[in-house]
Amino acid sequence: MVRVTTTDRRTALRVGAGLVAGGALAAGCATTGSAPSPAAPTHASAGGPAPAAKATPLTAPAPRAFPQQPAQITHGPRDHPKIALTFHGQGDPRIATALLTEAEKHGAHVTVLAVGTWLDTHPEMARRILDGGHDLGNHTQRHIAVNTLSEADALAEITGCADRLKRLTGSIGTWFRPSRAPAASPLVQRLAHRVGYPHVLSYDVDSLDFTEPGAPAVTRKVLAEVRNGSVVSMHFGYADTVAALPAVLEELDRRGLRAVTTTELLS
């Protein structure tokens, strides 16, 4: 049995208390819309220019084609003991930093799919993610239900975030994941390919951390379903995820499963 320690619970309480002062948590990608989406900053729009970032642009990896993989990827090879933890990038940057630091303490690397408006507000997080050796990708500009949009509006959501990533890092990001849906519609998949993403990144394990079920429930859900090649969906912005991550990583280590970037998982 995997246990969430007292230290983990104290971590959750400390982070949760900070969030009370810092504002609302980020929304998950539920198709039902049960978790409210944070309001987009008024200074950015899907098609408008983003504020000039102060950070020095990085040389970040570009998207890669993996010929053996489908256009929409849900998992990696099942014959290698590796998995990918992927995080929807939105919410309080203190939680994002805590999660990245915890992963790095365990020698793990993750994949972050960032929301464009989050990058507008916290451009320094692009450098933090890449400097930690993690993958950075595109999770649309405003984190709305991209599959339900018209072609023009869906394209604006994808290119809006891609443009911000390019401005901050020199790359449109290594991956694209649709917002508010576990998988991209055929139209969104085609649009993402047009923008420059050879694949859409989905997942085969959903932690459901955005429903705030408590850290033990997040831990149980992930560890009950994860196996060789799994791509796990998690979120920045939730204290439960911070508290669950140490137990998840420790049990993955015990099982001999390495948490790597999605790029490494598929390479």
Side-chain angles (χ1 to χ4, degrees):
M1 180 181 296
V2 177
R3 294 181 303 154
V4 176
T5 66
T6 301
T7 299
D8 296 333
R9 286 192 291 271
R10 287 173 179 167
T11 301
L13 290 172
R14 285 198 301 270
V15 176
L19 284 173
V20 170
L25 296 173
C29 281
T31 56
T32 60
S34 57
S37 179
T42 56
H43 58 265
S45 65
K54 300 297 184 183
T56 302
L58 302 168
T59 302
R64 283 176 53 188
F66 294 87
Q68 303 305 314
Q69 295 295 330
Q72 187 147 219
I73 295 170
T74 57
H75 63 81
R78 295 299 193 189
D79 57 348
H80 296 295
K82 299 178 181 179
I83 63 98
L85 299 177
T86 67
F87 289 87
H88 301 222
Q90 193 180 24
D92 193 310
R94 293 171 296 177
I95 285 192
T97 301
L99 285 165
L100 294 171
T101 300
E102 188 62 40
E104 291 155 9
K105 280 169 53 180
H106 286 80
H109 293 99
V110 305
T111 300
V112 180
L113 294 311
V115 175
T117 52
W118 186 67
L119 293 173
D120 287 342
T121 307
H122 307 291
E124 72 284 355
M125 289 307 301
R127 174 177 290 279
R128 173 63 184 87
I129 292 162
L130 292 171
D131 282 352
H134 310 289
D135 274 358
L136 177 61
N138 179 334
H139 197 36
T140 73
Q141 176 57 20
R142 295 177 294 162
H143 199 258
I144 57 179
V146 67
N147 284 345
T148 69
L149 302 178
S150 68
E151 180 172 350
D153 288 344
L155 182 61
E157 283 296 309
I158 300 169
T159 57
C161 187
D163 288 346
R164 281 141 178 87
L165 285 165
K166 180 88 172 193
R167 188 176 297 117
L168 287 169
T169 73
S171 166
I172 63 172
T174 46
W175 301 101
F176 168 75
R177 173 173 287 169
S179 49
R180 298 285 180 182
S185 67
L187 171 61
V188 169
Q189 188 172 307
R190 289 196 302 272
L191 294 175
H193 192 270
R194 185 194 305 176
V195 172
Y197 301 99
H199 305 278
V200 169
L201 182 60
S202 184
Y203 47 87
D204 64 327
V205 178
D206 190 347
S207 69
L208 297 179
D209 57 351
F210 64 89
T211 65
E212 301 183 85
V218 173
T219 302
R220 286 193 302 269
K221 180 75 163 58
V222 171
L223 295 176
E225 299 177 17
V226 72
R227 59 192 178 110
N228 284 7
S230 284
V231 176
V232 182
S233 172
M234 305 181 86
H235 292 75
F236 287 167
Y238 295 92
D240 288 348
T241 314
V242 177
L245 192 59
V248 169
L249 291 170
E250 287 163 12
E251 178 63 14
L252 291 176
D253 286 344
R254 192 191 69 79
R255 296 182 189 181
L257 288 171
R258 289 180 57 221
V260 299
T261 65
T262 306
T263 299
E264 183 176 346
L265 179 70
L266 300 174
S267 297

